Amino acid sequence: MTTYALNPSALLSDFYISFWIPTAVLSAALAIKLPTIIRLWKDPLLRAVGGLLLLACGVFVFCSPSTIAWVNDLVGVPNISAPWCYSLLTAFCGSCLMLIIAWRNGLYDRSAATRRAMRWVVSVYSGVIVALWVLFALADAPVERLRDLDTYYANTPFMREEILLYLLAHTVAVLITSRLIWNWVRTDGLDAWLRWGLKLLGVGYGVNLVFDGAKLTAVVARWTGHDLDWLSTDLAPTVAAGSAILIAVGFILPHAGQYLQDRWRVRLAHRQLRPLYLLMRSVHGSRVPFVLRATPELRLIRRETFIRDVLLPLARHLDEDLRRRAYDAALGLGHEPARARALAAAVAIQDAVEAKRRAPESDGSGDPDTTELLREIGAVSRGLRRPEELEAVRARAAAPASPSTTPRPVSAESVSAHE
C-alpha cells in the first residue's frame, strides 16, 4: 500500500485496460448495427451511428502505442501520429454532437435552429482539425514519444497549443453531449431500452470528463514545473477505455435489448401454445412438420396455423350451452371476464374433443361463430395449463342451479305494482 501511495502509476498499471478491449466492444456494436445500416442506408441517423462507431474504433486502433509506432515508421515523420490521433478524436467529438442533435430533434426536424447547430459543429470542429495539422507543422517534435507525448511536449511551442486545443475541443464536446443526453433521459414517453441506453451513454460521456481532467492536470503540472505524468500516461487511457465500453454498450442496448425482447416474446408465445397444440394433435393425428432452419417467428406462425386449421372443423362439435354455463361458472369462481372466457372455451374444446373421439365419423351439427375463439387461442392454451381450474369450472357448470340464484318470472302484476 505504501508503494501505491508513493507511486499511483503502479496501482493503475494493475487496472490497465488494453485498448483492444474497447476496440472489440465497439466493433461488436458496429457489427450489430451494420445489417440495419445497410438495409436502411438512406436513414441519415443510422449512417451517423455507423460513422460514429467506426471513428471510435479508429481512435483506439490508432492511439494504441504499437499502432502509433507503426504509423510513425510508415510515414517517416516522428510523432506524425499525434495530429492524426488528435484529428480522429476531434472528428469523433463532432460526430457525437451532430448525432445527438439530430437524434434528439428527430429525423425530419429541419428547423433553422437545428441547421444552425449542425453548421456550427461542422465548421468549428473542421477548423480545429485544420489547426491541429498547422500547429504540428510549425512545431519541433523530433523525439518519438509513444505514451507520454502530451506531457513530454507540454512546454514545446506550438505543440503546447496543439495539445491544449484538442483537449479543450474534446472537453467542450463532452460537456455539451452529456447535457443533451441527460436532458433527453428526463423526457417522458421514452422506450425503456432507449432510456437505459441513453443513461449508459450519459455515464460514458461523463467519465470522459475524468479523462480530460487527468490530461489537463498533467499538462498544467508540467507548465508549473511539477510531475504528474501518471495522470496522463496511466489514469487517462484506462478511463478512456472504460468510457468507450460504456458508450458502445449504450449504443448496443436499445437495439439488442429490443431484439432480445422480441425474440423472447415470440418464444414465449410459441411455448404457451403447446397445451392447445398437443390437444389438437390428438384430434388430427399429425404434427407440424419439423424444419431445421425455421426462424422462431416461422415456427410460431406454423403452430398457430396448425391449431386454427384443426380447431375450425372441431368447432362444429362445440356445446355452446356448456360454454355459456362454464363462463358463468368461471365468473362465479372470481375470475376476470377475459380469463373466464378463456377457461370456458377450454372446457368446451375439451368436451368437443371427447365428442369427436366418441363419434369420429361425425362432422358435428353446430355452427358457432369462431371468430373470437380463433383469435384467442393463446389465452385458451394458457387456460389448459391449469387443469385444476378447468375442473373447478366444469364441476360448477355441471351443478344444478340453486333456487336462490334462479331468476323468478316477472309478472305483469308486479310490473304494475312498481309503476
Side-chain angles (χ1 to χ4, degrees), residues 57-71:
C57 289
V59 168
F60 282 95
V61 169
F62 285 100
C63 289
S64 172
S66 59
T67 310
I68 289 174
W70 177 79
V71 172

Side-chain angles (χ1 to χ4, degrees), residues 97 120 125 167-178 209 212:
L97 276 175
W120 181 86
Y125 280 85
L167 286 175
L168 290 178
H170 186 263
T171 303
V172 170
V174 168
L175 284 171
I176 296 175
T177 305
S178 297
L209 291 174
D212 294 320

Side-chain angles (χ1 to χ4, degrees), residues 155-218:
N155 290 308
T156 302
F158 299 111
M159 282 299 293
R160 173 182 57 229
E161 287 76 11
E162 175 167 11
I163 293 165
L164 185 61
L165 179 61
Y166 100 83
L167 286 175
L168 290 178
H170 186 263
T171 303
V172 170
V174 168
L175 284 171
I176 296 175
T177 305
S178 297
R179 181 177 178 181
L180 290 173
I181 289 174
W182 286 112
N183 287 341
W184 192 3
V185 168
R186 290 189 286 269
T187 304
D188 295 331
L190 291 181
D191 175 76
W193 292 110
L194 176 59
R195 189 181 299 277
W196 277 106
L198 288 172
K199 286 181 178 180
L200 286 174
L201 286 174
V203 173
Y205 283 110
V207 170
N208 259 321
L209 291 174
V210 180
F211 168 87
D212 294 320
K215 286 280 188 179
L216 286 169
T217 302

Side-chain angles (χ1 to χ4, degrees), residues 71-283:
V71 172
N72 291 339
D73 291 340
L74 179 67
V75 179
V77 177
N79 299 312
I80 191 66
S81 284
W84 173 243
C85 291
Y86 296 161
S87 297
L88 285 174
L89 187 59
T90 303
F92 171 75
C93 294
S95 298
C96 290
L97 276 175
M98 291 191 64
L99 175 63
I100 296 302
I101 291 171
W103 198 2
R104 178 66 180 87
N105 293 345
L107 177 61
Y108 299 104
D109 188 335
R110 294 293 183 268
S111 65
T114 300
R115 292 196 302 271
R116 187 164 55 250
M118 293 286 193
R119 287 196 299 269
W120 181 86
V121 171
V122 171
S123 59
V124 168
Y125 280 85
S126 297
V128 169
I129 292 173
V130 172
L132 290 172
W133 286 96
V134 171
L135 289 169
F136 181 78
L138 296 174
D140 183 20
V143 181
E144 183 181 61
R145 309 300 299 183
L146 301 182
R147 299 187 69 242
D148 63 345
L149 183 140
D150 291 347
T151 50
Y152 187 86
Y153 287 109
N155 290 308
T156 302
F158 299 111
M159 282 299 293
R160 173 182 57 229
E161 287 76 11
E162 175 167 11
I163 293 165
L164 185 61
L165 179 61
Y166 100 83
L167 286 175
L168 290 178
H170 186 263
T171 303
V172 170
V174 168
L175 284 171
I176 296 175
T177 305
S178 297
R179 181 177 178 181
L180 290 173
I181 289 174
W182 286 112
N183 287 341
W184 192 3
V185 168
R186 290 189 286 269
T187 304
D188 295 331
L190 291 181
D191 175 76
W193 292 110
L194 176 59
R195 189 181 299 277
W196 277 106
L198 288 172
K199 286 181 178 180
L200 286 174
L201 286 174
V203 173
Y205 283 110
V207 170
N208 259 321
L209 291 174
V210 180
F211 168 87
D212 294 320
K215 286 280 188 179
L216 286 169
T217 302
V219 169
V220 172
R222 277 297 185 115
W223 294 350
T224 58
H226 298 85
D227 184 357
L228 293 177
D229 289 7
W230 64 271
L231 289 173
S232 178
T233 57
D234 297 304
L235 177 62
T238 301
V239 169
S243 171
I245 293 172
L246 288 171
I247 291 172
V249 175
F251 277 115
I252 292 173
L253 191 62
H255 178 84
Q258 189 61 52
Y259 173 83
L260 293 175
Q261 182 177 341
D262 292 342
R263 280 291 182 270
W264 169 252
R265 189 182 296 116
V266 169
R267 292 183 184 277
L268 182 62
H270 184 269
R271 180 174 175 270
Q272 289 178 341
L273 285 175
R274 179 174 173 78
L276 186 56
Y277 168 66
L278 293 177
L279 186 60
M280 295 300 99
R281 275 182 57 184
S282 67
V283 175

